[in-house]
């Protein structure tokens, strides 16, 4: 059985500042008592070279890496999410630490406020998209020239100059019949139309109401706003409102409005009519009885036609013998003057009179 000897080996030791002022012989070990680091001499470099670099614990405060007094060249530290390596010999100088983390382009990718890599706002341009970036059945298309855009057919849909999706046209082929509500028909390739039932017709493409079935419109369906002057809703019925009448031309008798009679019913032959501004006859007078009677004999033009239609006694009348032909025989009769038929005119030339004879 081999003999085992236990020896106690101590290496050269001192503070870090002491180490930096001496040259360790080649292979000689030196331990810094204040920074707890082990160095190996190479015979010419002051302080030797470190036996192994450290990865220091994460630091949260920005710039605090310059306080790592035990850091030596080659050490790495995570400060605020960024990785730094001491490339110089003086840890207290910021410039001695080199950034060794991911270096974004700051155009499309950047570090955010939490020191995390993130896409930069507005950083993804059209040139970043490959044609395979869009699913060919997903309604999008990607090109390096235009970027990502809606994939429209330019027939029913388009993209306007203001970069908005817009409908070009929709026809009967684009509309499903099941999407149409009451009163409409068509779709699935058929033209859209109003689904009109009995009582409706189309006149030059305009829907018209031709007839209303009995009792199809109830009183509850009529709004008072649809009724004009003189009509109202009362006790479940549409009634006419009787307006005030003048009792001159229009009269109201027991709720019935009618033209008012002025001279009463009757008939008159050969009558003169007098009417007012409303077209109502106000008086009648016989044109037959308005005759020139000839009771005087001093005026020759009056005495020639003495008499009137109602005469029963003949005195000083003009008598004329005439022959009447009745188609079968000839009769000699005697005509007696009976006044005149007076014809009024509106020409400003007076009245006309036609002599009348009675037999």
């Amino acid at each position: 059985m081999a003999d085992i000897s236990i020896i106690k080996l101590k290496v050269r030791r001192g503070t870090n500042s002491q180490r930096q002022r001496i040259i360790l012989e080649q292979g000689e070990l030196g331990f810094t008592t204040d920074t707890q680091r082990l160095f190996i001499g190479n015979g010419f470099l002051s302080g030797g070279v470190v036996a192994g670099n450290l990865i220091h614990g994460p630091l949260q405060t920005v710039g605090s890496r310059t306080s790592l007094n035990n850091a030596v060249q080659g050490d790495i530290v995570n400060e605020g999410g960024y990785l730094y390596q001491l490339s110089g010999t003086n840890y207290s100088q910021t410039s001695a630490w080199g950034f060794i983390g991911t270096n974004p382009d700051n155009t499309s990718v950047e570090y955010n406020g939490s020191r995390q890599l993130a896409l930069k706002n507005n950083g993804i341009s059209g040139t970043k998209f490959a044609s395979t970036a869009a699913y060919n059945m997903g309604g999008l298309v990607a090109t390096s020239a235009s970027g990502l855009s809606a994939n429209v057919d330019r027939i029913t849909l388009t993209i306007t100059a203001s970069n908005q999706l817009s409908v070009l046209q929709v026809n009967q082929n684009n509309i499903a019949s099941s999407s149409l509500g009451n009163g409409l028909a068509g779709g699935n390739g058929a033209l859209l139309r109003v689904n009109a039932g009995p009582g409706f017709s189309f006149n030059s493409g305009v829907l018209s109401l031709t007839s209303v079935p009995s009792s199809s419109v109830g009183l509850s369906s009529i709004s008072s706003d649809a009724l004009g002057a003189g009509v109202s809703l009362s006790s479940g019925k549409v009634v006419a409102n009787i307006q005030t009448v003048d009792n001159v031309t229009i009269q109201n008798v027991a709720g019935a409005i009618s033209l008012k009679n002025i001279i009463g019913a009757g008939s008159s032959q050969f009558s003169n009519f007098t009417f007012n501004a409303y077209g109502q006859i106000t008086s009648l007078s016989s044109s037959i009885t308005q005759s020139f009677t000839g009771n005087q004999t001093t005026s020759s033009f009056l005495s020639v036609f003495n008499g009137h239609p109602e005469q029963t006694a003949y005195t000083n009348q003009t008598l004329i013998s005439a022959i009447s032909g009745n188609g079968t025989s000839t009769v000699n009769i005697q005509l007696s003057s009976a006044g005149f038929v007076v014809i009024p005119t509106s020409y400003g030339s007076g009245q006309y009179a036609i002599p009348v004879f009675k037999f």
Side-chain angles (χ1 to χ4, degrees), residues 244-252 256-262 275-282:
T244 302
V245 296
D246 57 14
N247 283 320
V248 176
T249 59
I250 304 295
Q251 63 183 358
N252 182 355
I257 299 177
S258 63
L259 292 174
K260 186 172 182 179
N261 293 326
I262 295 180
F275 51 88
N276 60 21
Y278 304 104
Q280 294 173 293
I281 297 175
T282 58

Side-chain angles (χ1 to χ4, degrees), residues 183-235:
L184 295 176
N188 288 354
L191 293 175
L192 300 183
R193 67 185 188 279
V194 175
N195 193 13
F200 294 90
S201 65
F202 290 93
N203 184 12
S204 300
V206 178
L207 182 65
S208 302
L209 180 65
T210 56
S211 63
V212 178
S214 177
S215 302
S216 60
V217 178
L219 188 65
S220 59
S221 302
I222 301 176
S223 171
S224 59
D225 295 335
L227 303 178
V231 182
S232 64
L233 298 175
S234 177
S235 300

Side-chain angles (χ1 to χ4, degrees), residues 173-198:
N173 298 312
N174 306 124
I175 300 175
S177 298
S178 58
S179 66
L180 301 178
N182 295 334
L184 295 176
N188 288 354
L191 293 175
L192 300 183
R193 67 185 188 279
V194 175
N195 193 13

Side-chain angles (χ1 to χ4, degrees), residues 86-305:
L86 185 59
S87 57
T89 58
N90 189 351
Y91 66 88
S92 63
Q93 293 180 350
T94 302
S95 59
W97 293 89
F99 176 73
I100 61 172
T102 302
N103 189 19
D105 61 6
N106 287 323
T107 300
S108 57
V109 179
E110 64 179 356
Y111 282 103
N112 59 22
S114 301
R115 304 296 180 90
Q116 297 171 323
L117 286 175
L119 292 176
K120 188 173 183 178
N121 290 340
N122 304 318
I124 305 301
S125 62
T127 57
K128 304 294 184 181
F129 286 94
S131 59
T132 56
Y135 177 49
N136 59 358
M137 297 297 291
L140 298 175
V141 61
T143 64
S144 58
S146 303
L148 193 65
S149 61
N151 191 14
V152 296
D153 59 5
R154 305 286 178 179
I155 298 175
T156 59
L157 298 176
T158 189
I159 299 175
T160 65
S162 57
N163 201 30
Q164 295 177 321
L165 193 64
S166 177
V167 176
L168 277 178
Q169 63 176 3
V170 176
N171 58 33
Q172 67 273 20
N173 298 312
N174 306 124
I175 300 175
S177 298
S178 58
S179 66
L180 301 178
N182 295 334
L184 295 176
N188 288 354
L191 293 175
L192 300 183
R193 67 185 188 279
V194 175
N195 193 13
F200 294 90
S201 65
F202 290 93
N203 184 12
S204 300
V206 178
L207 182 65
S208 302
L209 180 65
T210 56
S211 63
V212 178
S214 177
S215 302
S216 60
V217 178
L219 188 65
S220 59
S221 302
I222 301 176
S223 171
S224 59
D225 295 335
L227 303 178
V231 182
S232 64
L233 298 175
S234 177
S235 300
K237 296 180 180 179
V238 178
V239 298
N241 296 328
I242 305 301
Q243 303 296 320
T244 302
V245 296
D246 57 14
N247 283 320
V248 176
T249 59
I250 304 295
Q251 63 183 358
N252 182 355
V253 179
I257 299 177
S258 63
L259 292 174
K260 186 172 182 179
N261 293 326
I262 295 180
I263 62 174
S267 62
S268 177
Q269 298 177 344
F270 300 101
S271 298
N272 287 327
F273 299 95
T274 302
F275 51 88
N276 60 21
Y278 304 104
Q280 294 173 293
I281 297 175
T282 58
S283 65
L284 293 172
S285 60
S286 174
S287 62
I288 296 295
T289 58
Q290 291 178 356
S291 59
F292 293 141
T293 59
N295 294 326
Q296 55 180 314
T297 58
T298 56
S299 297
S300 59
F301 69 90
L302 291 176
S303 61
V304 176
F305 293 103

